[in-house]
């Protein structure tokens, strides 16, 4: 069954669709969060087996929101994946006390005794200390504060370094879509070899991979939120608006054959790729959740994949390895990245 859960580690599984919460963070959009509608959306997803939420220490307000949801739904299983992302300009000062304090803060916000999964990120590979800090997270795992360790937005070489250092990494979170296929080049083969799963955000490119944009004029001026700004840049890297429209036509053709939406086909394509464990999708209302639930039982045929492969072979994609462009402050992709969202914490 396509909707079957995927094993990240012995005794720990995740659904094929994980509910992401980046779009719920303060400053992401001008729209405020309707808490009751959001809780109802998460309830609906859980009713369909999608009981895992993805957040981060740096998604302002989101860990606390999920903590409130856990209290309001006491007795319901809610798995939560968070992150540990020290600020870019303080990496050299990150020590054991800092790591422990951020983890304790996440536990308090999430109203949890242990964090199900912590995904580690290190902004600058040229700053020493990454392996040591990851080792502190491993120590906290052994102490029972963290159940499982993973990475987020980490390229292949650094992933290999951390694995070789003995970190028990079960997953890595990356941007992966029919537009951004960088993980397929190096990271997915490494993950498959080392027993890791890819947890993939961006599978619908912030909503661009949907019926709304099929046949639409190229957008000009300000876009509604940071997701659309981010993925508009990805479209530019993939041949521009005309190439994107050709891709949407192929996705739509396949979607019509299966009686689903373009987004479902885009998500299933990612789920069918090597080493992929789940797609991470943001939801603001039950209607969007119900549409995505259709992805769980969708099967793409070899002919569907061949049709997509033909159009993708003509489309370039972002240069470099996973997240290399976004990591570079001089890159156009870095313009929407916020490097300093843990500044409220004092190193003492």
């Amino acid at each position: 069954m396509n909707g079957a859960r995927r094993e990240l580690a012995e005794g720990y599984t995740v659904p094929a669709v994980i509910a992401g919460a980046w779009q719920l963070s303060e400053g992401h959009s001008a729209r405020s969060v309707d808490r009751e509608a959001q809780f109802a959306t998460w309830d609906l997803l859980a009713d369909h087996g999608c009981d895992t939420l993805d957040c981060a220490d740096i998604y302002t307000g989101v860990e606390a929101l999920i903590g409130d949801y856990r209290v309001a739904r006491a007795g319901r299983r809610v798995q939560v994946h968070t992150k540990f992302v020290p600020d870019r300009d303080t990496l050299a000062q990150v020590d054991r006390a800092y790591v422990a304090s951020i983890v304790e803060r996440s536990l308090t916000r999430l109203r949890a005794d242990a964090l199900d999964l912590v995904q580690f990120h290190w902004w600058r590979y040229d700053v020493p200390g990454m392996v040591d800090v990851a080792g502190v997270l491993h120590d906290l795992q052994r102490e029972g504060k963290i159940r499982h360790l993973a990475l987020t937005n980490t390229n292949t070489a650094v992933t290999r370094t951390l694995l070789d250092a003995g970190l028990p990494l079960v997953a890595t979170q990356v941007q992966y879509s029919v537009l951004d296929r960088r993980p397929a080049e190096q990271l997915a083969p490494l993950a498959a070899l080392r027993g890791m799963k890819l947890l993939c955000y961006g599978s619908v490119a912030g909503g661009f991979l949907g019926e709304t944009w099929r046949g639409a004029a190229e957008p000009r001026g300000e876009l509604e939120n940071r997701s659309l700004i981010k993925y508009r840049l990805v479209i530019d890297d993939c041949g521009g608006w005309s190439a994107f429209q050709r891709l949407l036509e192929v996705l739509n053709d396949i979607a019509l054959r299966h009686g689903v939406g373009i987004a479902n086909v885009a998500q299933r394509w990612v789920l069918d790729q090597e080493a992929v464990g789940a797609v991470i999708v943001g939801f603001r209302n039950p209607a969007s959740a119900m549409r995505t639930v259709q992805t769980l039982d969708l099967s793409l045929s070899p002919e569907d994949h061949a049709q997509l492969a033909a159009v993708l072979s003509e489309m370039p994609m972002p240069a470099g390895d996973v997240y290399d462009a976004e990591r570079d402050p001089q890159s156009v992709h870095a313009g929407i990245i916020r490097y300093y969202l843990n500044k409220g914490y004092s190193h003492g």
Side-chain angles (χ1 to χ4, degrees):
M1 178 181 175
N2 283 312
R5 298 179 72 89
R6 284 99 186 279
E7 185 177 73
L8 296 192
E10 185 176 355
Y12 188 73
T13 64
V14 295
V17 174
I18 292 172
W22 179 45
Q23 83 283 1
L24 304 176
S25 57
E26 293 176 15
H28 181 274
S29 170
R31 288 189 293 165
S32 60
V33 177
D34 182 333
R35 291 168 61 90
E36 291 309 311
Q38 191 62 53
F39 288 5
T41 300
W42 289 337
D43 287 343
L44 186 152
L45 288 164
D47 289 342
H48 287 82
C50 301
D51 57 7
T52 304
L53 309 180
D54 180 84
C55 64
D57 54 340
I58 60 169
Y59 295 176
T60 308
V62 174
E63 284 185 328
L65 178 68
I66 293 175
D68 291 345
Y69 175 69
R70 288 166 59 95
V71 170
R73 301 298 189 269
R76 181 190 282 274
R77 182 170 78 166
V78 182
Q79 295 182 165
V80 182
H81 296 176
T82 191
K83 301 178 182 71
F84 172 72
V85 187
D87 288 341
R88 191 175 189 276
D89 62 353
T90 61
L91 295 177
Q93 288 78 50
V94 174
D95 56 15
R96 184 172 296 270
Y98 175 85
V99 178
S101 294
I102 296 297
V103 168
E104 288 294 339
R105 188 182 67 183
S106 291
L107 287 166
T108 298
R109 289 171 170 175
L110 290 167
R111 321 283 188 91
D113 297 324
L115 303 175
D116 292 319
L117 183 79
V118 173
Q119 299 157 107
F120 172 49
H121 182 70
W122 193 258
W123 284 113
R124 293 182 55 188
Y125 298 146
D126 61 320
V127 175
M130 176 188 66
V131 174
D132 291 338
V133 170
V136 176
L137 290 171
H138 191 196
D139 289 343
L140 294 172
Q141 181 184 24
R142 285 187 284 249
E143 292 171 17
K145 301 287 187 181
I146 298 169
R147 293 193 174 98
H148 303 286
L149 292 176
L151 300 175
T152 182
N153 293 328
T154 302
N155 71 20
T156 307
V158 174
T159 300
R160 184 181 292 107
T161 294
L162 290 166
L163 285 167
D164 289 347
L167 273 295
L169 302 170
V170 301
T172 184
Q173 184 177 142
V174 293
Q175 181 172 290
Y176 202 171
S177 70
V178 289
L179 293 168
D180 185 357
R181 306 177 302 283
R182 286 177 291 179
E185 299 295 311
Q186 301 180 59
L187 186 60
L190 175 67
L193 180 66
R194 304 294 285 267
M196 296 173 63
K197 293 295 186 184
L198 306 185
L199 306 178
C200 306
Y201 66 89
S203 62
V204 295
F208 273 117
L209 292 169
E211 283 75 17
T212 300
W213 293 98
R214 176 174 165 258
E218 185 171 1
R220 304 290 183 185
E222 189 73 16
L223 290 163
E224 179 184 353
N225 57 55
R226 290 172 65 206
S227 290
L228 291 174
I229 296 168
K230 171 182 175 64
Y231 294 111
R232 179 67 178 89
L233 295 172
V234 175
I235 290 170
D236 288 342
D237 282 346
C238 295
W241 198 252
S242 295
F244 173 62
Q245 287 298 316
R246 290 193 293 275
L247 172 61
L248 284 182
E249 288 302 325
V250 172
L251 289 167
N252 185 65
D253 187 41
I254 296 169
L256 289 174
R257 286 203 294 271
H258 292 276
V260 297
I262 287 173
N264 301 116
V265 176
Q267 290 160 352
R268 175 49 61 187
W269 182 89
V270 175
L271 286 167
D272 288 349
Q273 302 309 302
E274 182 181 32
V276 169
V279 291
I280 301 168
V281 185
F283 304 97
R284 276 187 174 270
N285 55 66
S288 63
M290 280 305 299
R291 288 193 295 271
T292 299
V293 162
Q294 295 180 78
T295 300
L296 298 174
D297 293 317
L298 173 62
S299 293
L300 297 183
S301 69
E303 292 75 21
D304 295 331
H305 277 291
Q307 188 177 358
L308 273 169
V311 69
L312 294 179
S313 69
E314 299 175 353
M315 297 180 69
M317 61 182 179
D321 199 5
V322 169
Y323 211 71
D324 281 352
E326 294 88 339
R327 186 179 299 279
D328 178 4
Q330 305 306 312
S331 166
V332 64
H333 291 276
I336 61 104
I337 305 297
R338 296 179 178 177
Y339 298 104
Y340 310 112
L341 289 174
N342 258 321
K343 275 194 175 294
Y345 174 81
S346 171
H347 287 266

